[in-house]
């Protein structure tokens, strides 16, 4: 038979230490992860807000760009400029009575918007076969100045006034 060593009976199994818990990341790293997550959410929120603002301003920015194209041409088309101004009003105030008002009421509205300059007579400018080019150029300048002075808040205020039934 084999001899047994006297210390063999005193041997014990090797005990392994417990494994690290699943949430073993230091609290500082958790805080850093939380800050990164908050920063990412903030960036997405700000980008969404900016995109919505640009979408709301889209009508005004597009009107300004189209006005630049209309003014660059040699023969200024007063009817196209008038349509552009009405399309801008329709964009921000779709139910506005300005869209279906008479030419004299439209003229009064435009004149009330900028009292520093006298707008040319739209009735003569829009409905005569050969309008005066100087009047057409003056109308284009007045419309361009009006568009440059308009802001999103002014156009939204106009829409609210029209929705509230305020007469022009």
């Amino acid at each position: 038979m084999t001899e047994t060593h006297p210390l063999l009976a005193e041997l014990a199994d090797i005990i392994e230490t417990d494994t690290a818990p699943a949430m073993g990341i230091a609290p500082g790293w958790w805080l850093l992860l939380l800050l990164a997550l908050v920063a990412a959410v903030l960036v997405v929120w700000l980008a969404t807000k900016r995109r919505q603002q640009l979408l709301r301003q889209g009508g005004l920015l597009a009107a300004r760009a189209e006005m630049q194209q209309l003014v660059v041409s040699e023969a200024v088309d007063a009817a196209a400029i008038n349509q552009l101004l009405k399309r801008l009003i329709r964009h921000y105030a779709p139910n506005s009575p300005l869209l279906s008002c008479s030419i004299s009421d439209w003229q009064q509205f435009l004149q009330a918007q900028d009292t520093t300059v006298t707008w040319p007579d739209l009735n003569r400018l829009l409905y005569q076969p050969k309008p005066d080019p100087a009047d057409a150029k003056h109308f284009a300048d007045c419309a361009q100045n009006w568009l440059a002075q308009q802001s999103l808040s002014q156009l939204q205020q106009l829409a609210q006034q029209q929705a509230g039934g305020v007469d022009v």
Side-chain angles (χ1 to χ4, degrees), residues 22-95:
M23 302 276 200
I25 299 175
W29 288 110
W30 282 111
L31 183 61
L32 189 62
L33 281 171
L34 180 65
L35 287 175
L37 181 64
V38 167
V41 167
L42 183 65
V43 165
V44 168
W45 180 72
L46 288 173
T48 303
K49 191 170 180 151
R50 178 66 178 153
R51 183 174 182 272
Q52 288 172 348
Q53 182 184 16
L54 287 175
L55 286 175
R56 284 191 305 266
Q57 288 180 341
L60 182 59
L61 296 176
R64 287 178 180 162
E66 188 174 340
M67 182 59 136
Q68 289 296 328
Q69 292 174 353
L70 289 173
V71 172
V72 169
S73 64
E74 288 181 24
V76 176
D77 186 6
I81 293 172
N82 191 51
Q83 284 180 344
L84 173 65
L85 296 179
K86 288 210 174 190
R87 278 197 327 257
L88 182 66
I89 298 292
R90 186 178 59 214
H91 180 77
Y92 290 101
N95 298 327

Side-chain angles (χ1 to χ4, degrees), residues 149-164:
Q149 292 172 358
Q150 293 303 306
S151 67
L152 181 62
S153 62
Q154 288 173 324
L155 290 170
Q156 288 174 337
Q157 181 182 11
L158 173 69
Q160 289 174 353
Q161 286 174 351
Q162 299 307 319

Side-chain angles (χ1 to χ4, degrees), residues 114-168:
D114 187 6
T115 58
T116 61
V117 66
T118 304
W119 289 67
D121 182 21
L122 294 180
N123 201 11
R124 187 175 39 135
L125 187 62
L126 297 174
Y127 297 115
Q128 289 211 346
K130 297 242 180 189
D132 184 17
D135 280 347
K137 179 67 175 147
H138 181 62
F139 177 62
D141 291 340
C142 290
Q144 193 170 19
N145 288 338
W146 182 76
L147 273 175
Q149 292 172 358
Q150 293 303 306
S151 67
L152 181 62
S153 62
Q154 288 173 324
L155 290 170
Q156 288 174 337
Q157 181 182 11
L158 173 69
Q160 289 174 353
Q161 286 174 351
Q162 299 307 319
V166 176
D167 271 347
V168 178

